[in-house]
Amino acid sequence: MHHPDRNYADQPRNPHYEDDIVYVTKHSRWILNSIGIWPAVLEGVGKFLPRIAIGLSNLVLFFTVVQCVLHILLEQKDPLLRLRLLGFACYSLVSLMKYWALTVRKPKIKRCIEQMHADWKQVESQRDRTLMLKYGKIGRDLTMYSAVFMYSGSVCYVTIMQYAIGRQSRMDDNNQTIRVLVYPTYSGFFDVQKTPIYEIVYVFQCICTFMLNTVTAGCCALAALFATHACGQIDIVMSQLDDLVEGKFAKKNCNPDTRLTEIVQHHIRIIKFSAMVETVLQEVCFFEFIGSTFVICLLEYYCITDWQQSNKIGLATYSMLLTSLTFNMFLLCYIGELLIEKSTNVGVSCCTIDWYRLPVKTVQDLILIITVSNNPVKISAGGIVCLSLSTFGSVLKTSFAYLNFVRNALMQ
């Protein structure tokens, strides 16, 4: 495939660009490599590793999700226990759909990463490099926060909750202990009570939990990586606009029109990059928006019922999961808000410079930049809902509304 900016990117001007790329992408690459979404850079047999990872991930997820759904539909008769299991089933199905969406969008993810490499190669001044590293660090931090919260919540669920369920194991009619797993299994496939099967299934469920949370953390990692890169580029454009009149930091003695042409070209690249990022993330953000609203509602209900039943272990575990999912949704909305705010500030910068000292034609061209900035770049959920802090508030309000509906329905 011919990359549209290949000539732009072939001659690196930043001698530190390889170290910089490693610095800003390291954690995202670790997370996404484990599920085969990060573009392969290996040669020979190694280039097939992402496909193998994708195949194995789908197998493990299907193994657990299908059994859970069949158990809810065919075996579990207690409506309250069905509701308990519905949260995991919903979260698993949403994560599986997000994983499929990431797999389909993998070519565009590769193009976004290639443009990031091109942008890092073309950094010339230390001032611009510092701006990009500043937002690169923000992207790293957001990725780490998401990973820590998601993995810590899942570890609590498959260890503490498994221990709590194990203590509550009951006896069957033959006076034999029934061993229960945190994720239900369908007895029509195999007898999970037999001794190597139980341990094997538990290991598979732990791997499934890791995969589910890796998909969720990976979506946030991609959003943080791409959005903060765009924010760093926007800051460079704003610094160039601030220098448009004086030209103190210009690479050569050139007139304002030439400097403005370079600024517009850079701005257009950012807009195209942001549009591509929005295309990559719109499906996963849509599934995240819908799934998080529903699952947060169910986790709130689980916390309330465990509080009423004085189930301290269940309350602690579900509270941890609730905090993890809520915080992850907050991070996505914060990333979207940051991108909107930064892209709007380009127009503000055009108004705050000493534009009256510029030629009339250059001032007219600035008006076009202001007009473009009035339609800021953003990350949307399926092109329907724009991710922002107000969206996060709507998610919480909707989850509480669903919670009241579920409580009222069960109390009748």
Side-chain angles (χ1 to χ4, degrees):
M1 181 191 303
H2 175 71
H3 191 271
D5 297 309
R6 188 171 298 279
N7 294 330
Y8 178 82
D10 279 346
Q11 299 177 350
R13 302 173 186 175
N14 175 16
H16 308 286
Y17 85 92
E18 291 183 348
D19 294 334
D20 294 341
I21 282 289
V22 170
Y23 175 77
V24 300
T25 64
K26 180 170 63 175
H27 297 94
S28 302
R29 189 171 67 250
W30 285 348
I31 294 171
L32 294 168
N33 262 333
S34 62
I35 54 175
I37 298 300
W38 192 265
V41 295
L42 301 174
E43 300 293 337
V45 180
K47 66 182 180 182
F48 297 104
L49 289 178
R51 296 181 184 179
I52 296 173
I54 290 173
L56 291 176
S57 298
N58 277 286
L59 177 64
V60 172
L61 292 175
F62 253 100
F63 175 80
T64 306
V65 173
V66 170
Q67 287 194 87
C68 181
V69 172
L70 290 176
H71 177 82
I72 294 173
L73 295 178
L74 303 178
E75 293 184 335
Q76 185 56 252
K77 304 303 180 184
D78 188 336
L80 293 178
L81 288 178
R82 276 186 172 181
L83 186 62
R84 283 272 176 177
L85 299 174
L86 184 61
F88 169 72
C90 178
Y91 176 69
S92 302
L93 289 173
V94 168
S95 296
L96 194 57
M97 288 187 286
K98 288 191 293 185
Y99 189 40
W100 290 342
L102 286 176
T103 305
V104 171
R105 293 297 186 184
K106 190 174 176 181
K108 285 189 176 293
I109 293 173
K110 182 178 180 181
R111 290 180 60 192
C112 290
I113 293 173
E114 286 175 348
Q115 182 160 333
M116 284 184 59
H117 279 252
D119 291 338
W120 276 104
K121 285 182 180 180
Q122 297 307 308
V123 177
E124 291 186 289
S125 68
Q126 183 60 37
R127 180 185 63 159
D128 292 348
R129 181 170 176 258
T130 300
L131 289 174
M132 292 180 66
L133 286 173
K134 169 188 171 184
Y135 283 95
K137 185 178 184 305
I138 293 175
R140 274 171 52 103
D141 292 344
L142 293 176
T143 300
M144 287 190 291
Y145 294 153
S146 175
V148 167
F149 272 85
M150 293 308 302
Y151 289 133
S152 59
S154 64
V155 167
C156 289
Y157 190 70
V158 297
T159 55
I160 298 176
M161 185 59 75
Q162 177 67 35
Y163 170 74
I165 291 176
R167 290 180 59 190
Q168 299 171 2
S169 297
R170 61 187 186 276
M171 310 294 288
D172 62 8
D173 296 335
N174 297 323
N175 203 29
Q176 293 181 344
T177 302
I178 298 177
R179 296 185 291 181
V180 185
L181 292 162
V182 285
Y183 304 147
T185 56
Y186 180 57
S187 59
F189 290 153
F190 42 76
D191 185 5
V192 78
Q193 298 302 314
K194 292 184 178 178
T195 275
I197 297 178
Y198 178 85
E199 287 75 13
I200 292 173
V201 170
Y202 177 68
V203 170
F204 261 82
Q205 291 187 353
C206 291
I207 297 173
C208 177
T209 304
F210 171 79
M211 295 295 179
L212 291 172
N213 289 281
T214 299
V215 171
T216 302
C219 294
C220 187
L222 277 181
L225 177 66
F226 293 153
T228 52
H229 177 76
C231 289
Q233 293 292 297
I234 291 171
D235 257 17
I236 292 175
V237 168
M238 291 168 59
S239 69
Q240 291 171 342
L241 282 170
D242 292 339
D243 190 50
L244 179 61
V245 178
E246 299 291 343
K248 293 180 180 179
F249 300 99
K251 293 173 288 187
K252 55 192 175 187
N253 291 327
C254 55
N255 57 50
D257 284 338
T258 303
R259 294 198 293 272
L260 184 60
T261 299
E262 294 178 355
I263 292 171
V264 170
Q265 290 174 343
H266 197 167
H267 192 208
I268 290 174
R269 278 176 54 81
I270 298 170
I271 293 173
K272 289 181 178 179
F273 174 77
S274 301
M276 189 158 48
V277 170
E278 205 271 340
T279 302
V280 167
L281 296 175
Q282 61 180 350
E283 291 93 359
V284 295
C285 288
F286 175 75
F287 294 136
E288 184 74 32
F289 177 78
I290 299 298
S292 292
T293 302
F294 188 62
V295 175
I296 287 173
C297 158
L298 291 175
L299 288 173
E300 290 167 346
Y301 173 76
Y302 302 157
C303 290
I304 291 174
T305 54
D306 283 348
W307 176 277
Q308 294 172 343
Q309 297 170 5
S310 299
N311 184 358
K312 296 180 180 179
I313 294 179
L315 176 62
T317 304
Y318 287 126
S319 297
M320 191 68 186
L321 290 173
L322 176 61
T323 303
S324 300
L325 286 179
T326 304
F327 187 74
N328 191 75
M329 190 65 208
F330 169 77
L331 286 182
L332 281 175
C333 292
Y334 172 77
I335 291 165
E337 181 80 19
L338 183 65
L339 190 57
I340 293 172
E341 180 184 352
K342 275 295 172 186
S343 57
T344 305
N345 286 344
V346 174
V348 176
S349 293
C350 293
C351 298
T352 56
I353 64 173
D354 296 338
W355 52 266
Y356 49 85
R357 297 170 54 188
L358 296 170
V360 175
K361 186 177 181 306
T362 306
V363 174
Q364 292 173 344
D365 293 336
L366 282 176
I367 296 174
L368 295 177
I369 299 178
I370 296 172
T371 303
V372 171
S373 299
N374 287 334
N375 184 24
V377 296
K378 56 186 178 294
I379 300 173
S380 70
I384 301 172
V385 180
C386 176
L387 292 187
S388 62
L389 293 180
S390 61
T391 304
F392 176 70
S394 300
V395 169
L396 294 183
K397 291 178 183 177
T398 307
S399 68
F400 280 116
Y402 287 162
L403 174 63
N404 289 330
F405 171 77
V406 170
R407 290 187 64 192
N408 292 333
L410 293 175
M411 289 174 62
Q412 291 177 356

